[in-house]
Amino acid sequence: MNNEKKRSILSAPGMASVLTAYAGVVILLIIFTIMNPNFIKPTNLMPLIRSICPYLLVGIGQGIVCITGNIDLSIGSVIGMSTMISATLVCNGMNIILALVIDLVVCMAVGLINGVLVGKFKLPPFIGTLGTMTIGRGIAQLVNGNYNTGDIGTEGMVTWFRNVFYYKRIGFLYYSVIITFLIWFIFNYLMNYTKYGRHIYAIGSNQDAARFSGVNVFKTTTIAYLISAFCSFIVGLIMTAQAGMGNMQAGLSYEMYGVAAAVIGGISTLGGSGLLVGTIAGASVWAILQNGLTMANVPAALRNIIIGIIVVACVLIDIARRNGMIGKKKEA
């Protein structure tokens, strides 16, 4: 019986891509440790694990949206809004809890708008979220008069906020890591064990068939974009806690990081397949490459080229697999 359960888990759709991603993580760890023994030391590993958090969070949000067959280009702008709104309100004397609530409402409004544009009015997701991306970045710039904020300080609840979202840790695990993996656990459960998760996969596989089966495509699509906005909001808080200020440029290119974490982890950009467990590996690959190549003194431009090639290769492999060009058994 146990063997049957193990086989069913390992044979789940998309598990082969997930296992490949985790194998890549192990290989990268070995390579960078050989290149620089300091790579595997706790002084580097602890910050490395913490650096995975933003990539994993945007990977969760972008991954769920991709499974619906859509994409979210507004992720980076929502991050910028999150850090600027929270920091600006706190710098102007507002209680940080109230500031975070207002920040959350504004960020979630972007997710709602994305859902309405794509799910209700049928705008191509690239166009709809490109528009909200531009608007969101404009809001981030206008919040504090086109200036980055000053220091949010270290008094009272602000200290608690910065400790929880960046600095404090239990043993070798930072609170931000615990928060991130708790969020991952919740959405992974949602995707694998709830009716909503099944609806997500259904509309990504065949939207018309899902609609005829009684799936509320508009509602399901909107919730996917709300999850993406929520994850981006949390990333913004992490950046605010780290820098102690709001930065208008925060979150630039993070929509690409989200796609990278999702795609490297085995989630299809064509919709309908992929597992959130793979986003952990995808985010880890991204963070390890950034960290390892930096320690190897590889220029930033070359780092981006290397990681970009990996992302494109993963997408091409996914398309080839979908078209039966690879992974298809030959008939006798």
Side-chain angles (χ1 to χ4, degrees), residues 7 9 20 22 25-26 37 75-76 83 89 117 120 162 192 250 285 292 316 322:
R7 282 198 298 271
I9 293 172
T20 301
Y22 278 99
V25 171
V26 173
I75 282 175
T83 182
L89 293 177
L117 292 176
K120 185 72 174 177
R162 297 190 69 179
N192 291 318
V285 166
L316 289 175
R322 287 275 189 134

Side-chain angles (χ1 to χ4, degrees), residues 58 74-76 78-79 82 227-237:
V58 294
S74 68
I75 282 175
V78 174
I79 293 172
S82 176
I227 292 173
S228 180
F230 173 76
C231 290
S232 300
F233 160 74
I234 298 295
V235 174
L237 298 189

Side-chain angles (χ1 to χ4, degrees), residues 316 319-328:
L316 289 175
I319 292 174
R321 187 184 294 114
R322 287 275 189 134
N323 293 333
M325 297 169 64
I326 58 175
K328 187 177 181 180

Side-chain angles (χ1 to χ4, degrees), residues 32-33 35-45 295:
F32 286 124
T33 300
M35 292 175 62
N36 189 340
N38 291 326
F39 179 82
I40 204 68
K41 290 184 176 179
T43 51
N44 183 61
L45 279 184
M295 291 186 70

